[in-house]
Amino acid sequence: MKQAFFFFILFFSILISNAQEKNVFTQQDSLRGSITEERIWWDLKHYDLSIQVNIQDKFISGSNCIRYEVLRENRWMQIDLQAPMLITKVVQKGKVLKVRQVGNAHYIYLNNRQRKGKVDSLTVYFEGHPPNTKTPPWDAGFTWATDSKGNDFIATSCQSFGASVWWPNKDHLYDEPDEGVTERYTVPENLVAVGNGKLLSRKKDSLKKTTTYIWQVKNPINNYSVNLNIGNYQHFSEVFLGENGDLTCDYYVLEEHIEKAKSQFKEVKKTLAAFEFWFGPYPFYQDGYKLVEVPYLGMEHQSSVTYGNGFKNGYLGGDLSKTGWGLKFDFIIVHETGHEWFGNNISNKDIADMWIHESFTNYSESLFLDYHFGTKAANEYVIGLRKRILNDKPIIGHYHVNKEGSGDMYFKGNNMLHMIRQLVANDEKWRTILRGLNKTFYHQTVTTNQIETYLSAQSGFDLSTVFQQYIRTVHVPVLEYKQTVNKIEYRFSNAVENFKLPLKIFLNKEPVWIYPSAEWKDISLTDVSSTFEIDPNFYIEVKKVN
């Protein structure tokens, strides 16, 4: 429990520190966070990534063959790689190309005319000492660790900072490789390298005493989901009979944890069953599902979910909601698997809209509880998480500068979605909406506006002011009320203009819907002793006034 508390305080100290910083953006922020002219003219089709890992020197080298389609003519291509990593050369059709570097952005001049509709490729060679992570996964780079037996135990993580901290790519979330990625990882022969997708082959080099593991992802994938995990892994697997047939579930854990994993990872099938019920079929049947032990807490790497939660329920053994329900499931298995639908299937175009990943996934935890333990458990869990909300800055970040919003995208965003479920007031309809969301935006990158518009249209409510209030401001609406002998008067304050949020209240324990606005309204009472309560599933403040 002490460890859980430490990690949680660390996480939020980082968020609070970020909240206090001044938003002063540089040219590098714009080059990284915007869809530049050197990016927009080409559509990413496939990455073929090869990496050799020198563990002793904490050094990597390799190449990335980038296949692309020309959307309009241009000869300058932007590829990103962050210092201290270096691009050593770029080759197309056997010729070395000119590269002009502006910080982390590398502009490659293509010798041949780029004709619209043409599919072509080039290969970027790179090397360097990738950053060492200090607090993974909240910073980025390589975690170089050892297991209890002294074997090397290594993993990558790079959300927010971007994949360009360790390999060269088109480092903007709007464009994913339509035809996936091939990963060729070369490591010492006594270790196993695990990547995304399915294992195609292993190739041993007895002279160099290395093994190259070749993994293939067939589906689009956001670049921060590409990962490399190295360890003295043991492998076991099972098959989940899902909505789209047999789904292969592979597990890679350290040798000393194999029995614990076989017991704890039974949670995977329970998680997949709950999420297929609520969200629709697992989005990556072709690439399989994988859970991989790593030397940090865990991350949502597509088809290669990483795990470091100690093989026990809760968040490192603790309950973030303080209701008891958080101990009914393994937080990392449930949360990071939820990202397969929100974050990996549906991905935000701009990191400012990261709430799309985190709000829905945090909300998925309660839907797991709903599926296995009932709606009361789900409600109590969501409400219990409110104490974690900071209201420090808006959930939406700054566009075009690679800047995400407040960490409230987790718990506050969760509560907003939970309220929308209350407005729909029909769980089967709500389930249809969530499943439709994943079907409508299947394997797409999206904007906040697209998600807002979809939820408003499908729910039958104009949710524009709800989104404006909860993701674009830090203010919690206040329902002010005053009660007399024969009526209750009420109104909203601390709310955006024309704020619309129907509320369920209980008069004498009976449910009644009211429709507050900025103006005073009233509801009649039949008895001087009438009781008045707000449904606690609505995240608002309530204030009695004279």
Side-chain angles (χ1 to χ4, degrees):
M1 189 65 188
K2 289 181 180 178
Q3 190 182 19
F5 179 78
F6 168 78
F7 271 94
F8 199 74
I9 292 300
L10 172 63
F11 176 53
F12 271 102
S13 68
I14 293 170
L15 293 180
I16 292 170
S17 176
N18 288 341
Q20 293 171 341
E21 71 184 10
K22 294 182 179 179
N23 291 312
V24 178
F25 299 112
T26 66
Q27 178 195 38
Q28 282 297 299
D29 295 321
S30 295
L31 293 179
R32 170 67 195 286
S34 59
I35 305 174
T36 62
E37 284 298 315
E38 293 78 16
R39 283 171 168 161
I40 199 170
W41 67 267
W42 57 284
D43 178 51
L44 181 57
K45 307 303 289 185
H46 183 262
Y47 290 128
D48 194 326
L49 179 64
S50 297
I51 293 180
Q52 297 80 45
V53 182
N54 181 334
I55 296 175
Q56 182 176 351
D57 296 332
K58 297 182 179 179
F59 182 86
I60 65 173
S61 60
S63 63
N64 186 18
C65 180
I66 303 170
R67 188 163 70 247
Y68 62 93
E69 179 181 354
V70 179
L71 301 180
R72 63 191 192 205
E73 292 192 17
N74 195 322
R75 286 196 178 182
W76 286 100
M77 173 184 285
Q78 179 180 339
I79 294 296
D80 305 286
L81 185 64
Q82 299 179 38
M85 298 299 295
L86 296 172
I87 289 178
T88 56
K89 65 178 177 180
V90 181
V91 176
Q92 186 173 51
K93 301 187 185 307
K95 295 184 178 180
V96 176
L97 303 181
K98 175 183 176 182
V99 180
R100 179 169 59 89
Q101 183 178 353
V102 181
N104 298 325
H106 298 73
Y107 297 100
I108 301 165
Y109 182 75
L110 306 176
N111 293 334
N112 298 322
R113 181 180 175 185
Q114 304 297 296
R115 299 181 183 274
K116 183 177 179 180
K118 181 181 179 181
V119 175
D120 210 336
S121 65
L122 54 77
T123 302
V124 182
Y125 294 85
F126 65 101
E127 63 181 29
H129 297 273
N132 295 335
T133 57
K134 297 180 177 62
T135 55
W138 297 294
D139 61 350
F142 272 60
T143 301
W144 307 89
T146 55
D147 63 22
S148 64
K149 297 183 178 181
N151 299 301
D152 290 297
F153 189 25
I154 300 160
T156 62
S157 54
C158 57
Q159 187 182 18
S160 300
F161 295 85
S164 61
V165 300
W166 63 285
W167 60 282
N169 61 90
K170 188 179 192 177
D171 203 357
H172 193 289
L173 295 172
Y174 89 98
D175 192 12
E176 298 179 354
D178 302 326
E179 298 164 10
V181 58
T182 302
E183 302 163 351
R184 308 170 194 271
Y185 296 143
T186 301
V187 298
E189 61 183 0
N190 64 313
L191 298 173
V192 177
V194 181
N196 307 80
K198 292 191 174 181
L199 181 63
L200 292 184
S201 65
R202 292 183 291 267
K203 296 181 179 180
K204 289 192 175 183
D205 187 326
S206 56
L207 292 177
K208 295 182 179 179
K209 296 183 179 181
T210 61
T211 303
T212 299
Y213 291 81
I214 302 177
W215 297 85
Q216 184 179 57
V217 176
K218 292 186 176 180
N219 294 288
I221 181 170
N222 67 61
N223 57 29
Y224 76 74
S225 280
V226 173
N227 74 338
L228 166 60
N229 311 287
I230 304 169
N232 182 29
Y233 285 123
Q234 300 294 305
H235 170 247
F236 65 100
S237 65
E238 62 181 344
V239 174
F240 171 71
L241 182 57
E243 291 190 20
N244 283 354
D246 291 345
L247 174 63
T248 303
C249 299
D250 289 298
Y251 308 117
Y252 288 83
V253 297
L254 297 182
E255 184 178 16
E256 60 260 41
H257 296 149
I258 190 74
E259 295 307 319
K260 287 182 179 179
K262 286 181 176 180
S263 174
Q264 187 67 8
F265 288 2
K266 291 177 182 178
E267 292 290 301
V268 169
K269 281 189 174 182
K270 291 172 60 179
T271 302
L272 292 170
F275 291 165
E276 285 210 332
F277 174 82
W278 283 106
F279 303 142
Y282 177 74
F284 308 107
Y285 270 77
Q286 283 182 304
D287 296 328
Y289 175 92
K290 199 180 306 93
L291 199 59
V292 187
E293 185 180 0
V294 291
Y296 63 85
L297 187 59
M299 266 292 293
E300 66 263 25
H301 303 112
Q302 183 175 310
S303 68
S304 183
V305 174
T306 51
Y307 179 87
N309 200 39
F311 304 98
K312 52 191 173 184
N313 281 358
Y315 181 98
L316 289 170
D319 175 12
L320 298 182
S321 74
K322 302 298 183 184
T323 63
W325 292 115
L327 297 176
K328 298 294 185 181
F329 62 92
D330 187 311
F331 178 91
I332 291 300
I333 291 177
V334 170
H335 181 89
E336 307 305 349
T337 300
H339 272 303
E340 293 283 46
W341 283 264
F342 295 99
N344 298 341
N345 181 40
I346 303 175
S347 304
N348 50 249
K349 284 184 183 293
D350 190 299
I351 203 171
D353 289 334
M354 185 61 77
W355 77 271
I356 297 170
H357 294 203
E358 300 299 352
S359 297
F360 279 97
T361 302
N362 194 259
Y363 179 58
S364 75
E365 299 160 24
S366 69
L367 294 182
F368 172 91
L369 287 169
D370 195 300
Y371 184 84
H372 290 291
F373 299 97
T375 302
K376 181 175 181 292
N379 293 350
E380 290 177 359
Y381 181 76
V382 175
I383 294 168
L385 292 175
R386 287 178 191 166
K387 65 178 69 71
R388 306 290 181 185
I389 298 173
L390 300 177
N391 285 312
D392 57 343
K393 60 181 180 179
I395 288 174
I396 287 186
H398 295 265
Y399 290 100
H400 314 306
V401 288
N402 196 52
K403 180 65 175 178
E404 63 189 60
S406 169
D408 280 349
M409 68 179 78
Y410 292 83
F411 309 124
K412 188 176 180 181
N414 174 356
N415 271 273
M416 179 187 71
L417 295 171
H418 184 66
M419 286 195 301
I420 295 173
R421 178 184 183 178
Q422 313 311 309
L423 297 180
V424 173
N426 180 322
D427 283 349
E428 186 54 36
K429 181 178 179 180
W430 182 233
R431 185 167 82 98
T432 299
I433 290 172
L434 294 175
R435 289 173 66 92
L437 195 64
N438 276 276
K439 184 176 181 180
T440 300
F441 301 111
Y442 181 73
H443 290 180
Q444 293 183 34
T445 60
V446 301
T447 64
T448 289
N449 183 62
Q450 286 176 281
I451 301 300
E452 283 187 46
T453 301
Y454 176 89
L455 289 178
S456 288
Q458 298 301 315
S459 67
F461 291 90
D462 178 1
L463 298 170
S464 58
T465 59
V466 172
F467 280 100
Q468 184 69 17
Q469 183 76 43
Y470 287 96
I471 68 177
R472 295 185 177 90
T473 82
V474 298
H475 306 298
V476 180
V478 177
L479 183 75
E480 298 181 343
Y481 78 97
K482 43 192 176 183
Q483 185 170 354
T484 60
V485 174
N486 59 355
K487 66 179 179 181
I488 293 175
E489 295 180 75
Y490 57 89
R491 71 175 180 185
F492 270 134
S493 64
N494 204 39
V496 297
E497 188 175 359
N498 298 320
F499 182 60
K500 296 178 182 178
L501 177 65
L503 291 178
K504 184 195 287 186
I505 67 170
F506 296 96
L507 286 179
N508 298 321
K509 306 298 182 183
E510 292 296 319
V512 175
W513 284 91
I514 61 174
Y515 301 86
S517 67
E519 305 301 322
W520 286 103
K521 297 182 179 180
D522 63 70
I523 185 170
S524 298
L525 300 178
T526 57
D527 194 300
V528 68
S529 61
S530 294
T531 60
F532 168 69
E533 300 173 272
I534 305 295
D535 186 336
N537 290 299
F538 289 84
Y539 176 50
I540 62 169
E541 295 179 0
V542 181
K543 180 181 180 181
K544 187 174 184 178
V545 298
N546 294 324

